[in-house]
Amino acid sequence: MGQPTPATDDGWWRSAVIYQVYVRSFADGDGDGTGDLAGVRSRLPYLAELGVDALWFTPWYRSPMKDGGYDVADYRAIDPAFGTLAEAEKLIAEARELGIRTIVDIVPNHVSDQHPWFRAALAGGPGRELFHFRPGRGEHGELPPNDWQSEFGGPAWTRLPDGDWYLHLFAPEQPDLNWAHPAVRQEHEDILRFWFERGVAGVRVDSAALLAKDPELPDVTEGRAPHPYVDRDELHDVYRAWRAVADEYGAVFVGEVWLPDTERFARYLRPDELHTAFNFSFLTCPWDADRLRTSIDDTLAEHAPVGAPATWVLCNHDVTRTVTRYGRADTGFDFATKAFGTPTDLALGTRRARAAALLSLALPGAVYVYQGEELGLPEADIPVDRIEDPMHARSGGTDPGRDGCRVPLPWVAGEPHAGFGGDPWLPQPDGWAAYAADRQAEDPGSMLSLYRAAIRLRPEFGDGPLTWLPAPDGVLAFTRADALCVVNLADTPVDLPAHTELLLHSGPLDTAGRLPGDTAVWLRA
């Protein structure tokens, strides 16, 4: 492979629109029912017309797919279901020719139980030092080494036939790495270089606050501070070393950092650590003007001391889709609201999702758009016998899991499987073709047309700060540069502030020229 020109950091990431690609469900190029890199390459013109600046790919590496690819067996190989490394290199290059950068996903907390390191560890010998193996408690070692619980439910430990237990904060097929071991650190720095040398412009860091563990592995219920595995201070040395590698290539990081303490959160965004982190406060906020404004203010305030840009996201591959979430009586984010059969008003949810799109795209910072959000896709009900997400099984069937937001996309209304390709790995609901991209591209009032227009007009808001404007209860109004954004979350229409031009609206104004409820508008001052 000829070495490409390294990506350059010109600050593009501070205000980028980044599109999340869940490869398995994006587009199927070979007709086997699984999305692949050939499918993505065939849709690059669509993504360029949408106007996005970068693509974030959830893990595309070789994997047994016990957790949607987040169980990585080989970081230097593409999973055969998706294609080859050569295809990935072509995709990175072809996207870059269209002005679209590539961000890949790194999962540093754990690997697959099929990873060569773990297979060697099971065979005995020093390889066990790369993971967390411990004897059990109890008279015969029959109890887990501590009380830690898996993020997917149940104990975070699995016992082997030889009597030892190993740690997995997620599924048993995802053993946690020991980040106190220098070989683990060196391997991940080498993985970063491997992808940066192939032209990757950035890396998203999965579960970024969970890597380091207290070497004593104490019970969580002992109430020790700091937490035995969340947000430990030694993590920052890891990310400083990573930042030095990224700076060699002009590459950037975005971290998945769930922390309630804003000061602790901001530490990950210091100038020598991660560039950005996902903003879960905004994503989890209900459709309420006061709470959204508080989320926006808090987000901007916590980023300001370290000079990092905020990020805004309405949905991702782990979250109930925006149209469905906003169409419920309780629009706050809660995995419990994903119960089977939860009633949703899709018309209401769609109006709110359109308004939320204009709100997020008008805010200062970077915006992430999960595939299918630009089509207004709702959450799909997956038949129980077709659910693959391990969250469903680990919860004993009480949690339907995350597959409802991972259903393959509809591309062409008149083709089998709505143009996705072969018979999809997850079933598409009846009527899915009504959301097809080709149909929406011809409709100026569609969700796709709204996203295209908003991304094209987003530069109207410039690079400056946000200034709130006086507004009635239930209304958010702010200005940036010469543009205004007004979002009416109340039940009654409101008058628009003084302006010279109406740039874009998420829905029509009423006959008196007022902004109806659950509607947003962009104006030129």
Side-chain angles (χ1 to χ4, degrees):
M1 180 196 76
Q3 181 153 329
T5 302
T8 56
D9 176 12
D10 55 5
W12 63 272
W13 46 277
R14 290 185 167 272
S15 59
V17 177
I18 301 167
Y19 187 94
Q20 180 188 353
V21 178
Y22 190 80
V23 178
R24 196 178 184 190
S25 298
F26 186 72
D28 171 19
D30 62 9
D32 66 355
T34 296
D36 47 39
L37 301 190
V40 179
R41 291 174 64 200
S42 73
R43 299 297 179 181
L44 283 176
Y46 166 88
L47 294 165
E49 188 170 0
L50 183 58
V52 299
D53 300 296
L55 306 177
W56 157 36
F57 290 90
T58 53
W60 56 14
Y61 314 107
R62 186 182 296 275
S63 168
M65 297 292 168
K66 298 298 184 181
D67 182 25
Y70 282 87
D71 48 320
V72 179
D74 185 351
Y75 267 116
R76 296 173 179 82
I78 300 298
D79 194 89
F82 299 151
T84 65
L85 180 59
E87 279 187 287
E89 292 168 351
K90 288 180 181 178
L91 172 54
I92 293 166
E94 290 169 357
R96 194 65 186 87
E97 290 174 1
L98 294 172
I100 301 174
R101 294 171 169 86
T102 297
I103 296 171
V104 296
D105 214 314
I106 296 293
V107 191
N109 179 69
H110 50 262
V111 292
S112 166
D113 61 355
Q114 300 303 306
H115 190 283
W117 280 8
F118 192 70
R119 297 177 72 173
L122 293 183
R128 292 204 172 192
E129 297 175 0
L130 303 175
F131 301 90
H132 298 278
F133 285 87
R134 295 290 189 278
R137 297 189 291 191
E139 183 179 356
H140 304 290
E142 72 278 9
L143 300 176
N146 63 28
D147 66 354
W148 297 5
Q149 295 294 297
S150 163
E151 296 288 323
F152 291 162
W157 295 90
T158 290
R159 196 179 193 189
L160 297 169
D162 65 10
D164 268 359
W165 298 73
Y166 69 88
L167 175 67
H168 52 85
L169 289 180
F170 293 86
E173 296 86 0
Q174 296 167 293
D176 279 35
L177 289 165
N178 175 16
W179 274 87
H181 199 292
V184 173
R185 293 186 57 160
Q186 185 60 56
E187 169 67 358
H188 282 78
E189 290 174 26
D190 291 346
I191 290 168
L192 293 175
R193 285 193 168 88
F194 179 87
W195 287 104
F196 291 154
E197 287 171 2
R198 281 157 179 78
V200 163
V203 167
R204 180 261 189 185
V205 186
D206 181 71
S207 300
L210 300 184
L211 279 58
K213 277 77 174 177
D214 185 324
E216 296 182 12
L217 302 181
D219 286 347
V220 173
T221 53
E222 291 179 4
R224 291 192 183 187
H227 193 282
Y229 63 83
V230 177
D231 182 36
R232 294 184 60 81
D233 287 344
E234 53 265 42
L235 264 176
H236 297 283
D237 287 339
V238 171
Y239 293 132
R240 288 189 186 98
W242 283 26
R243 180 61 175 260
V245 174
D247 286 349
E248 295 176 24
Y249 297 88
V252 300
F253 293 114
V254 55
E256 183 191 29
V257 183
W258 291 79
L259 291 177
D261 186 321
T262 58
E263 291 186 8
R264 299 286 300 185
F265 172 84
R267 296 177 72 212
Y268 290 84
L269 302 177
R270 289 176 291 194
D272 61 346
E273 296 192 40
L274 304 180
H275 298 73
T276 61
F278 283 128
N279 173 17
F280 294 109
S281 165
F282 186 75
L283 181 153
T284 61
C285 198
W287 188 247
D288 177 270
D290 290 339
R291 294 179 65 177
L292 279 168
R293 176 164 175 168
T294 297
S295 173
I296 293 166
D297 284 340
D298 289 351
T299 296
L300 295 175
E302 69 189 19
H303 285 74
V306 288
T311 64
W312 311 99
V313 59
L314 295 172
C315 188
N316 62 34
H317 65 292
D318 289 331
V319 178
T320 302
R321 283 201 178 270
T322 309
V323 164
T324 298
R325 213 169 64 245
Y326 281 160
R328 290 174 173 155
D330 175 11
T331 56
F333 175 80
D334 182 350
F335 277 115
T337 66
K338 295 195 299 181
F340 293 106
T342 302
T344 297
D345 183 339
L346 289 183
L348 174 64
T350 298
R351 287 199 306 275
R352 290 175 170 175
R354 290 173 65 91
L358 293 197
L359 171 61
S360 63
L361 286 163
L363 294 170
V367 177
Y368 284 77
V369 178
Y370 176 49
Q371 66 180 43
E373 287 292 289
E374 81 281 9
L375 301 178
L377 297 182
E379 187 84 355
D381 287 328
I382 308 298
V384 173
D385 62 348
R386 295 291 300 274
I387 294 175
E388 297 197 13
D389 185 0
M391 290 186 73
H392 174 67
R394 295 278 292 181
S395 70
T398 60
D399 189 325
R402 300 161 293 180
D403 287 345
C405 67
R406 301 175 178 181
V407 173
L409 299 188
W411 289 102
V412 183
E415 292 187 2
H417 314 301
F420 170 72
D423 187 10
W425 69 279
L426 281 176
Q428 295 172 319
D430 292 339
W432 209 236
Y435 297 97
D438 71 326
R439 180 175 293 180
Q440 294 202 37
E442 302 301 320
D443 178 5
S446 70
M447 186 76 85
L448 177 58
S449 294
L450 178 71
Y451 264 89
R452 285 178 173 176
I455 293 172
R456 184 181 70 252
L457 290 168
R458 191 165 182 259
E460 294 279 346
F461 288 93
D463 298 325
L466 175 154
T467 301
W468 292 107
L469 301 175
D473 289 344
V475 177
L476 298 175
F478 61 86
T479 182
R480 292 178 58 219
D482 294 326
L484 289 74
C485 176
V486 184
V487 187
N488 184 6
L489 294 86
D491 294 329
T492 57
V494 296
D495 293 327
L496 296 177
H499 61 280
T500 61
E501 182 181 355
L502 193 158
L503 297 172
L504 187 62
H505 52 73
S506 67
L509 305 181
D510 71 7
T511 55
R514 297 174 301 179
L515 186 65
D518 298 320
T519 308
V521 66
W522 288 0
L523 308 169
R524 181 173 285 126

